[in-house]
Amino acid sequence: MPYRRLPPGTRHLLALASAAALAAPAAPAHAETCTSTEREALPEALPMRDFAIRLGARIDACATEARRPDAERFCAEHRIECSAARVRDFVRVRTLFEMTRDGGPFRLRWSITDRDPTARHIWAAWRQKPPLASSDAPSATAECDELSALFAGLARRLDVRGVGLFWPTSNHTIAAWDVTPAVRVLVPTSQIFLACDATFDRTTFLPSKQRVVYELRATDVPDAVPVPRALATFLLDQIAHYAGASLDVLAMLRMHRALRFDSSLPAACGADAVAAAKSLRARPLSPPDRRALMRYGSTELGLAAPSVEETLERLAR
């Protein structure tokens, strides 16, 4: 897909698409269906194609309400129509990014592995040793191109087109999403060469560095690859507990987790993580924010029946 950049100064807010289009349901799932996977009777193993269906439904149910305002801002900034289909795509891509990035809720850790740009090794590690719900250890270790392949491959399975690998430098890989021929979003799945606050669509890399973004092949991880029940439960439960949280809470938890993992986040970002936790202690928090913080406190900090305040107090040290 050829890329052309909007002229400087044109990223101003425009009128959004009609309220009726935005109000249309993006998927049949709703927030009330965002429940723990542990209550479901999952089979012993699901083929990858079936797991992806459940993953998409879980994201739609748990994240749409929280990410809709972010989608509206995104469309306005990039001067694109904010149709129901585009809101759905944004919610799925933005949620997958938060889950799969270094230090995200899927608990992936960045490190140099010298492996090919594929997600196969991540899935193999997960299948061999499914992550435990309560653990302060990484679920798998992968390099920047592997993290980006995982993100791009899952986006493809969730029917979001135009997502592939992007090389901002000769020795580094991130992901990119060509939303339209004129709008390219850079997706840094690790913090290599970036500041502490770099994130989705906010990097110092040049979108024009690569002329074409090729979608990751659907065969990167074949349809028939089995996803064990324990692995599916962990991944879907992390969506249920974290996907509806605010981007501020997700960013703070990701910084804290990545620093614990000694991964791609610079150690100097520790001060930012502490400041973010202190800031959150001084403001009201939504039920999804509180749910995410309590999940983090109980499963990764090892706090017994933690309150939100106790979790934030620990994070603010």
Side-chain angles (χ1 to χ4, degrees), residues 147-183:
L147 297 173
S148 299
L150 177 68
F151 163 78
L154 286 174
R156 175 74 176 262
R157 287 194 171 278
L158 268 54
D159 298 324
V160 182
R161 305 310 301 267
V163 181
L165 304 187
F166 185 89
W167 283 265
T169 67
S170 61
N171 60 342
H172 183 45
T173 310
I174 61 173
W177 178 26
D178 279 347
V179 186
T180 73
V183 176

Side-chain angles (χ1 to χ4, degrees), residues 65-86:
E65 183 178 352
R67 296 287 82 83
R68 186 179 296 275
D70 302 316
E72 295 174 9
R73 287 189 289 270
F74 174 83
C75 292
E77 181 179 351
H78 288 284
R79 306 182 62 190
I80 55 179
E81 179 189 4
C82 214
S83 64
R86 183 154 287 145

Side-chain angles (χ1 to χ4, degrees), residues 21-33 53-65 68 83-89 91-92 158-159:
L22 285 176
H30 299 283
E32 60 267 22
T33 66
I53 293 172
R54 290 177 182 266
L55 179 66
R58 180 58 56 91
I59 290 175
D60 293 341
C62 299
T64 297
E65 183 178 352
R68 186 179 296 275
S83 64
R86 183 154 287 145
V87 170
R88 188 209 69 160
D89 286 355
V91 170
R92 290 183 169 192
L158 268 54
D159 298 324

Side-chain angles (χ1 to χ4, degrees), residues 151-264:
F151 163 78
L154 286 174
R156 175 74 176 262
R157 287 194 171 278
L158 268 54
D159 298 324
V160 182
R161 305 310 301 267
V163 181
L165 304 187
F166 185 89
W167 283 265
T169 67
S170 61
N171 60 342
H172 183 45
T173 310
I174 61 173
W177 178 26
D178 279 347
V179 186
T180 73
V183 176
R184 172 171 292 173
V185 173
L186 298 187
V187 186
T189 52
S190 71
Q191 223 67 19
I192 300 299
F193 302 140
L194 292 172
C196 303
D197 59 350
T199 187
F200 182 90
D201 202 23
R202 294 289 184 272
T203 77
T204 51
F205 296 136
L206 298 177
S208 57
K209 183 71 175 180
Q210 185 172 314
R211 191 178 69 85
V212 178
V213 171
Y214 295 101
E215 291 182 328
L216 198 70
R217 293 179 300 172
T219 56
D220 183 59
V221 179
D223 283 350
V225 167
V227 180
R229 177 192 297 158
L231 174 57
T233 297
F234 171 78
L235 297 176
L236 294 173
D237 269 0
Q238 292 298 86
I239 296 288
H241 285 89
Y242 289 104
S246 66
L247 295 179
D248 287 347
V249 166
L250 290 173
M252 186 271 295
L253 292 178
R254 190 266 311 175
M255 283 195 291
H256 191 271
R257 192 183 283 112
L259 289 167
R260 283 198 294 109
F261 291 169
D262 189 25
S263 56
S264 68

